[in-house]
Amino acid sequence: MSIPVLEIENLSVSFMTRSTEVPAVMDFSMKVLEGDAMGLVGESGCGKSTVALAIMNYLGGNGKITGGTIKYRGKDMSSFSEKELEDIRGSEIAMIYQEPMASLNPAMRISSQLIEVPILHEKITKEEAWKRSIDMLEKVNLPDPERIMNAFPHQLSGGQQQRIVIAMALLSKPSLLLLDEPTTALDVTVEAGIINLVKNLSKEIGTSMLFVSHNLGLILETCNKITVMYSGETVETGEINEVFRNMRHPYTQGLLRSIPLPGKNKYEAPLRAISGQLPLPHERPQGCNFGPRCPYFEKELCSVNEVQMQAINSKKLHFSRCSKINLIDWNKKIKSSKKVGRKPSNDILLSIDHLSKDYDVAANVVFGGKKKGTIKANVDLNFDAKVAETLAIVGESGCGKSTFAKVLLGLEEASSGRVDFENKNIGEITVEERDKKTVSAIQMVFQNPFDTLNPSHSVGNQIIRTLEKVGVGSTVEERRQRMHELLDLVKLPREFEKRMPRQLSGGQKQRIGIARAFAGSPKIVVADEPVSALDVSVQAAVIELLIDIQEKFDTTMLFISHDLSVVRYVADRVVVMYLGKIAETGTTEQIFSPPYHPYTEALLSAVPIADPDIKKRQILLEGALPSPLNPPKGCVFNTRCPSAISGKCDSIDPPIQKLKNGHTISCHIDIKELSKKDNVFAQ
């Protein structure tokens, strides 16, 4: 048997603080063989990134390996000198980080940052390094490599920056590539292209991969093996399809049940969130770490002795850390808790009529440029939102979703058209000019729960201040009582009123954000990517909470997202946007079944699906989103559309084709032709 590229045995990593030692990773073991793509999954704080940093020996001044070994090609890395470590970093072992700008120097041109890799590690000439860099930029599908080489990082899009980082990592043809959430900040279409690129290049170069992510669908599409981490230790590992089809740890099962899959929706198959929270390192329970959150927990069996990894079968290719492997009926179907919740009414609450929003900008204004241009962020939008329904607005970054939200909230004024709310045009009334009733009636849940709370104020004070702003309660005591009711509503203990934001987890912070949004009993809540920054288990709990509160108050929710798996689950109707315009509208079932607008079809194809039994047609979009300063003529999607009709799509605005029950598609291709397409998903 060949020597593994990477072999980790019983690894323990701690971080030293002034008062104590914090164990971040304990008894962690994993093997990555030649040609393997290993997925490392788990919730935030479980130790995934610590393992990756320990491999690179990037643990900082207070991080320390306290036990076990990390072997690279059979050699213990703790025996490497600093010079040996420097030689293999970036050449034999390379790493791609979550945020590309953290890896790129903003003051250096791309060429300088790329050519230094082969020059430093292989001592080749500058000319040869330049040629190899150009070749690699072509391999990562970046247009006009010469222009890219002369650009600075800020002149490139997020997807282009990440491709540069990938090119940098692969330039020296490493044996092992570590990827730490490399696509989290990217749109699903860009993510699909990046993942396909990494897979193909890794095969071509012969690179083994360790892919760190909390996205199980992404891991399934990318890797052939998986290791599941919980609270610093391995809880399950094995071949990817074996683990997904025959999981043998309650935590793995809980993660998979937290994910919305094609065919599931909020009425037929509610998500099952994992109860409780990841324990803090110094508060880990005795016995099984997952015990307090496990639905199969038995004190006498699970909390007495330390639980060891054990083989599931004689081949010893699948292991689990569970005391009840042979006592749990793993094939038992969970009872469907079908919701009896009301379907949305037909009463229209919000009507968008020919809404447009333009921004006049001066090109290079910082450097004195006088040339002006116009960004058409929203172009002739027309749709309605009904009482108590969830209307999803989907599309890539830059499509105009958030601009529309700003106009609705009064943070921007409409350039033309109407935003009719309760028969009153509010599109030209800024938030400062709106009365308290209108302000409290339209609220927002933001994308990042970490940035929406004031770190200097307690949770209770922040909710009370919101209540003051929207005119709820006439005395401090009345507002405090309402604040307690809101904490009850979002299922947080009332004692949390005294906590500071730094004492809350990401999911708890987002619950506070939801409490503030519902403080004034709003009629419309705009949820702008409300779960994209959360782990899948927390995501499921927050989604179910939003749905429950919405049904309780008959609130209309505008759900802004690029994640169509979540949209399929929560939405009643969907508006698909591209470069400021509406490409398609319809009910969720209409949007997720043929005929599709070609852009909708590509969005659906880009969604990673965490089920090996669901087959998906792959459609990769070429090129990047065009600049809104200079949109394409004709159909704005024609530059990336795989079905574009030359001479028509690139010169004439597409007609709006009306189908049954309010389903519309803005496209030159005849509906009969679009209807011939197969469903993107098949079982």
Side-chain angles (χ1 to χ4, degrees):
M1 186 176 177
S2 61
I3 296 173
V5 175
L6 177 70
E7 185 173 12
I8 302 175
E9 292 182 325
N10 310 115
L11 176 69
S12 293
V13 178
S14 292
F15 289 91
M16 313 301 169
T17 67
R18 290 180 180 179
S19 57
T20 186
E21 176 182 330
V22 180
V25 174
M26 308 171 303
D27 191 30
F28 177 85
S29 298
M30 181 178 67
K31 281 184 184 178
V32 180
L33 303 178
E34 196 82 46
D36 268 353
M38 173 66 80
L40 184 57
V41 304
E43 294 169 283
S44 298
C46 72
K48 306 185 302 291
S49 295
T50 300
V51 169
L53 292 171
I55 294 168
M56 297 292 283
N57 197 19
Y58 282 157
L59 292 172
N62 63 338
K64 184 181 179 183
I65 295 175
T66 56
T69 58
I70 301 175
K71 293 180 181 177
Y72 173 67
R73 295 198 174 278
K75 189 175 180 182
D76 188 346
M77 293 184 71
S78 65
S79 67
F80 286 16
S81 66
E82 190 59 39
K83 176 68 168 63
E84 286 177 305
L85 283 171
E86 285 179 4
D87 287 342
I88 67 169
R89 285 184 194 137
S91 57
E92 294 185 49
I93 304 176
M95 189 163 182
I96 299 172
Y97 295 90
Q98 180 173 346
E99 175 50 59
M101 277 306 289
S103 305
L104 297 172
N105 188 327
M108 292 174 63
R109 294 187 189 275
I110 298 300
S111 57
S112 302
Q113 302 185 58
L114 285 176
I115 66 174
E116 74 174 0
V117 175
I119 289 175
L120 182 65
H121 292 291
E122 299 178 46
K123 313 301 181 190
I124 63 175
T125 64
K126 186 176 180 180
E127 290 72 22
E128 178 63 21
W130 181 280
K131 183 178 182 300
R132 278 177 50 179
S133 298
I134 291 286
D135 291 342
M136 186 55 73
L137 289 182
E138 290 175 348
K139 285 183 178 178
V140 298
N141 299 326
L142 279 169
D144 197 357
E146 292 283 352
R147 181 187 65 81
I148 296 286
M149 288 285 275
N150 288 310
F152 287 97
H154 71 271
Q155 295 173 310
L156 307 177
S157 69
Q160 289 174 328
Q161 290 170 2
Q162 195 62 286
R163 286 170 189 260
I164 295 295
V165 173
I166 291 169
M168 196 181 299
L170 294 176
L171 261 173
S172 291
K173 299 182 179 178
S175 298
L176 179 64
L177 181 63
L178 311 178
L179 302 100
D180 189 2
E181 302 274 14
T183 60
T184 300
L186 304 178
D187 286 313
V188 285
T189 50
V190 180
E191 176 182 78
I194 294 287
I195 292 306
N196 189 63
L197 170 71
V198 170
K199 281 166 58 179
N200 292 339
L201 285 176
S202 295
K203 286 180 183 176
E204 181 184 328
I205 296 171
T207 299
S208 301
M209 289 196 297
L210 175 61
F211 197 120
V212 176
S213 180
H214 67 263
N215 187 327
L216 288 165
L218 208 56
I219 292 296
L220 180 59
E221 292 191 359
T222 312
C223 303
N224 65 317
K225 293 181 180 177
I226 185 172
T227 294
V228 183
M229 279 190 83
Y230 181 79
S231 190
E233 60 187 13
T234 313
V235 294
E236 187 164 8
T237 185
E239 300 286 339
I240 193 94
N241 288 328
E242 169 71 14
V243 172
F244 270 76
R245 290 193 174 103
N246 304 298
M247 79 286 291
R248 287 297 180 268
H249 195 281
Y251 179 59
T252 311
Q253 186 183 64
L255 287 176
L256 291 169
R257 286 178 176 174
S258 300
I259 301 169
L261 295 173
K264 291 186 178 181
N265 62 61
K266 60 187 176 183
Y267 299 112
E268 302 295 333
L271 298 178
R272 298 269 179 156
I274 301 173
S275 62
Q277 297 177 53
L278 196 76
L280 294 172
H282 59 281
E283 295 177 352
R284 290 184 175 116
Q286 186 176 348
C288 176
N289 279 341
F290 187 59
R293 304 175 71 188
C294 181
Y296 309 108
F297 178 73
E298 285 184 33
K299 187 175 181 180
E300 297 76 15
L301 188 61
C302 303
S303 64
V304 179
N305 300 313
E306 189 176 328
V307 185
Q308 302 296 325
M309 294 289 287
Q310 56 180 301
I312 304 302
N313 50 42
S314 57
K315 293 182 180 179
K316 295 189 176 181
L317 297 175
H318 185 185
F319 293 82
S320 174
R321 191 187 298 271
C322 181
S323 302
K324 299 187 67 177
I325 291 174
N326 299 318
L327 302 176
I328 296 171
D329 182 359
W330 297 100
N331 296 316
K332 184 179 180 181
K333 300 291 183 185
I334 57 174
K335 288 183 181 179
S336 174
S337 54
K338 184 175 178 179
K339 292 200 176 190
V340 210
R342 287 190 301 275
K343 299 272 184 176
S345 75
N346 288 319
D347 298 331
I348 293 173
L349 179 67
L350 179 72
S351 182
I352 310 303
D353 184 21
H354 297 288
L355 174 69
S356 293
K357 174 60 184 174
D358 302 337
Y359 294 97
D360 290 326
V361 295
N364 228 3
V365 69
V366 175
F367 302 103
K370 295 181 180 179
K371 186 179 177 182
K372 289 188 176 180
T374 300
I375 292 176
K376 295 183 178 295
N378 290 154
V379 182
D380 199 30
L381 304 187
N382 292 280
F383 60 88
D384 297 324
K386 300 172 184 176
V387 173
E389 85 166 336
T390 299
L391 177 69
I393 304 175
V394 304
E396 296 168 284
S397 299
C399 75
K401 308 185 299 289
S402 295
T403 298
F404 164 72
K406 289 176 182 177
V407 172
L408 177 60
L409 288 157
L411 302 175
E412 298 281 1
E413 291 183 57
S415 300
S416 62
R418 295 178 62 89
V419 179
D420 286 325
F421 171 63
E422 295 186 322
N423 300 316
K424 179 182 178 182
N425 181 17
I426 61 171
E428 296 175 355
I429 306 174
T430 63
V431 68
E432 293 87 0
E433 297 169 331
R434 293 181 182 181
D435 55 43
K436 282 187 177 182
K437 182 182 176 183
T438 304
V439 171
S440 63
I442 305 174
Q443 287 292 306
M444 188 163 187
V445 178
F446 294 91
Q447 178 175 358
N448 194 337
F450 308 98
D451 294 338
T452 55
L453 297 176
N454 189 323
S456 304
H457 291 264
S458 69
V459 163
N461 283 341
Q462 298 195 54
I463 296 177
I464 287 172
R465 179 165 172 75
T466 303
L467 291 168
E468 286 179 35
K469 287 285 186 183
V470 296
V472 174
S474 54
T475 66
V476 173
E477 192 51 43
E478 283 181 11
R479 290 184 186 119
R480 189 164 184 267
Q481 178 58 35
R482 175 60 179 156
M483 179 264 293
H484 284 155
E485 291 171 2
L486 287 166
L487 288 176
D488 295 341
L489 184 70
V490 297
K491 299 176 183 177
L492 288 176
R494 291 189 174 188
E495 307 87 74
F496 271 46
E497 70 165 299
K498 296 178 181 177
R499 290 202 180 184
M500 305 299 284
R502 66 177 181 274
Q503 296 173 297
L504 307 181
S505 68
Q508 289 169 341
K509 287 178 182 176
Q510 194 60 293
R511 286 170 185 263
I512 298 300
I514 293 169
R516 292 199 306 183
F518 281 89
S521 301
K523 296 186 177 180
I524 295 176
V525 167
V526 181
D528 189 0
E529 301 275 12
V531 294
S532 63
L534 305 176
D535 289 315
V536 288
S537 55
V538 182
Q539 172 181 287
V542 170
I543 288 172
E544 287 303 306
L545 175 67
L546 270 172
I547 292 170
D548 289 344
I549 297 174
Q550 176 196 19
E551 288 190 352
K552 183 175 181 178
F553 294 105
D554 279 346
T555 309
T556 298
M557 183 159 66
L558 300 185
F559 194 91
I560 296 174
S561 181
H562 67 261
D563 186 342
L564 288 190
S565 59
V566 174
V567 165
R568 172 70 178 262
Y569 180 77
V570 303
D572 299 299
R573 288 192 301 129
V574 181
V575 174
V576 182
M577 290 185 66
Y578 184 83
L579 209 65
K581 295 186 176 183
I582 293 177
E584 184 171 2
T585 61
T587 66
T588 307
E589 284 306 310
Q590 290 168 340
I591 294 294
F592 280 78
S593 305
Y596 308 110
H597 186 285
Y599 179 58
T600 306
E601 187 180 30
L603 281 179
L604 290 171
S605 170
V607 177
I609 303 300
D611 187 337
D613 296 319
I614 293 178
K615 305 303 176 191
K616 185 179 71 172
R617 283 194 293 117
Q618 189 176 50
I619 302 162
L620 293 176
L621 293 180
E622 299 293 332
L625 197 74
S627 168
L629 261 173
N630 186 27
K633 292 182 179 178
C635 173
V636 287
F637 184 56
N638 83 81
T639 57
R640 301 170 74 195
C641 180
S643 306
I645 304 167
S646 180
K648 181 180 280 189
C649 295
D650 53 5
S651 58
I652 305 170
D653 286 343
I656 298 174
Q657 303 187 63
K658 296 182 179 179
L659 287 76
K660 294 179 182 177
N661 302 319
H663 186 193
T664 68
I665 294 178
S666 178
C667 187
H668 283 294
I669 303 169
D670 189 82
I671 290 299
K672 291 179 181 178
E673 288 299 313
L674 293 176
S675 299
K676 292 178 182 178
K677 294 284 185 77
D678 293 331
N679 203 314
V680 169
F681 306 115
Q683 283 185 297

